[in-house]
Amino acid sequence: MDTPETQLGPQPEIVLVRPQMGENIGAAARAMLNFGLERMRIIAPRDGWPNPSAVAMASGAGRVLDAAGVYDTLADGIGDCDYVYATTARSRDLAKPVLSPERAMEEARAMRLQGKKVAVLFGPERTGLENDEIARANALISVPVNPEFASLNLAQCVLLTAYEYRRQSHETAHHVMEWASSEPASAIEVEKLAEHYEQRLDEAGYFFPETKAEVMKITQRNMWSRLNLSRLDVQMFHGILRQLLRNKD
Amino acid sequence: MDTPETQLGPQPEIVLVRPQMGENIGAAARAMLNFGLERMRIIAPRDGWPNPSAVAMASGAGRVLDAAGVYDTLADGIGDCDYVYATTARSRDLAKPVLSPERAMEEARAMRLQGKKVAVLFGPERTGLENDEIARANALISVPVNPEFASLNLAQCVLLTAYEYRRQSHETAHHVMEWASSEPASAIEVEKLAEHYEQRLDEAGYFFPETKAEVMKITQRNMWSRLNLSRLDVQMFHGILRQLLRNKD
């Protein structure tokens, strides 16, 4: 099967533990696929499987549900995994490392690249994972939410995790600033533009009084070179000047 | 009022442009508050304001809605902002920098720490921002979603942005953006400059032929907002225009 593994590299298993509403399973599938993750596992879904509400909500992400593995117990569902993260809202007294999603997905990515199988567990709506489920994890992931208002739902929690995994996979891309469509103007083009304005403004009596003319010209040159104009910007400014003066004489 | 500004430091303005469903406005408020953001602005909400569906959905995040500013036009809603980001799903041919949420929020954070007002625009459900709205932004934010399945809803897009802002607030080292010697112009100052040129150029017959006039105007708006003009630059451009037209009549 042609999964995004080919584009994105190896993926973690997104494991929904005892999910309740089918809609939330479908929404989680959508959240995953937004960031190219397709590997879902479902442990003991409350309303059985398959679930028409999940399918309806997933819509374009239905293939994630079609390919999902469904298991009766968590032990079965993660038996083949080398490293397991558990997401949790509350801080727990379980003597395990607690990582940010960023740090966890950075690790997860590195482990997947070494061929290890990695799972991330998400608990049921409202109640979250039980302690005996968390006990099966190697480390915890805690999203740094506002302690006074923590209301992430299941799909949002999956979304942030998938986003962070994808972000780690695109290390090189995320600092890149692209300029859509237009090339930067060269220094000589900016120079000619500055001259064009200087001449016409001189003729129009802009540089006045005489004693300040030199400083005013320097200030204006300065501005043109500081603006990081594109080639199209330069053309536009030439055009503006020509049009403004067209009907003058 | 004791806002999270005290805990989190200064925040960006989250601007919902022409939002449709009240539920989505409420969900956006929840998404914001999860990461401690409380400053919402709403431009021309389809169903008017206040909106009971928004309040019902926001539940614990109702105070974000209570404090939200509501405006008739985008120009009014961002007039006091120094730097404006527009979130967009599609790549646009508008010659503006396109940033990842991470990079954009890093910049936004640095600007807020310097006392600049920063806005992030989110378009209406499905259609997104119009070109003339995007033309008012200094830069674009594009979430790196799977090109084969991009289905982020409004609240999810707000969630990822708020998450990234919060993440940047927890880092000690910030890359500080330098501003050239003069104060940056506010959005309203750039808006007035763009209008000044647009009116005079319209009178001079610049926007020709008629069929292309709208696109030409958007391109020009776009340029003005992209140039990161200082207050002095704005004054200079006004002066240039006035002087060129002075002897005309």
Side-chain angles (χ1 to χ4, degrees), chain A residues 177-181, chain B residues 86 92-99 131 133-140 218 221-226:
Chain A
M177 226 170 110
E178 332 164 351
W179 286 84
S181 82
Chain B
R92 309 267 187 158
D93 205 21
L94 286 171
K96 275 180 212 274
V98 181
L99 306 179
N131 280 347
E133 291 162 341
I134 289 183
R136 288 193 159 75
N138 300 86
L140 306 182
I218 287 172
R221 287 273 165 156
N222 217 15
M223 181 192 71
W224 289 119
S225 58
R226 183 168 36 75

Side-chain angles (χ1 to χ4, degrees), chain A residues 30 33-34 102 145-146 149 151 163-164 167 174 177-178 180-181 204 223 226 233 236-237 243 248, chain B residues 30 33-34 92-93 95 98-100 102 145-146 149 151 163-164 167 180 204 223 226 233 237 243:
Chain A
R30 292 176 71 83
L33 198 54
N34 264 295
E102 178 187 18
V145 285
N146 180 359
F149 186 81
S151 79
Y163 167 78
E164 280 291 0
R167 211 165 61 77
H174 60 81
M177 226 170 110
E178 332 164 351
S181 82
M223 179 191 72
R226 184 167 35 75
D233 295 336
M236 197 181 300
F237 275 117
Q243 191 67 31
K248 197 165 168 177
Chain B
R30 294 177 69 84
L33 198 54
N34 264 295
R92 309 267 187 158
D93 205 21
V98 181
L99 306 179
S100 65
E102 176 187 20
V145 285
N146 179 359
F149 185 81
S151 80
Y163 167 78
E164 279 291 1
R167 215 166 59 77
M223 181 192 71
R226 183 168 36 75
D233 294 338
F237 275 118
Q243 190 66 32

Side-chain angles (χ1 to χ4, degrees), chain A residues 7-91:
Chain A
Q7 304 146 39
L8 257 190
Q11 304 180 9
E13 312 294 312
I14 299 297
V15 184
L16 307 187
V17 181
R18 299 180 289 111
Q20 301 177 340
M21 304 280 286
E23 287 81 356
N24 295 329
I25 302 173
R30 292 176 71 83
M32 287 169 61
L33 198 54
N34 264 295
F35 295 105
L37 300 190
E38 286 205 50
R39 305 178 65 85
M40 179 186 271
R41 296 182 182 193
I42 307 171
I43 314 296
R46 184 190 68 185
D47 299 338
W49 199 258
N51 181 327
S53 311
V55 174
M57 178 58 116
S59 88
R63 63 178 168 174
V64 174
L65 299 183
D66 295 342
V70 181
Y71 305 83
D72 289 337
T73 68
L74 179 58
D76 284 347
I78 56 174
D80 62 334
C81 295
D82 300 296
Y83 201 90
V84 177
Y85 294 97
T87 54
T88 168
R90 291 155 287 161
S91 75

Side-chain angles (χ1 to χ4, degrees), chain A residues 3 10 72 93 95 107 116 121 237:
Chain A
T3 73
D72 289 337
D93 203 20
E107 279 187 8
K116 303 222 188 337
L121 312 185
F237 275 117

Side-chain angles (χ1 to χ4, degrees), chain B residues 76-87:
Chain B
D76 285 344
I78 59 172
D80 62 334
C81 295
D82 300 296
Y83 202 89
V84 177
Y85 294 98
T87 54

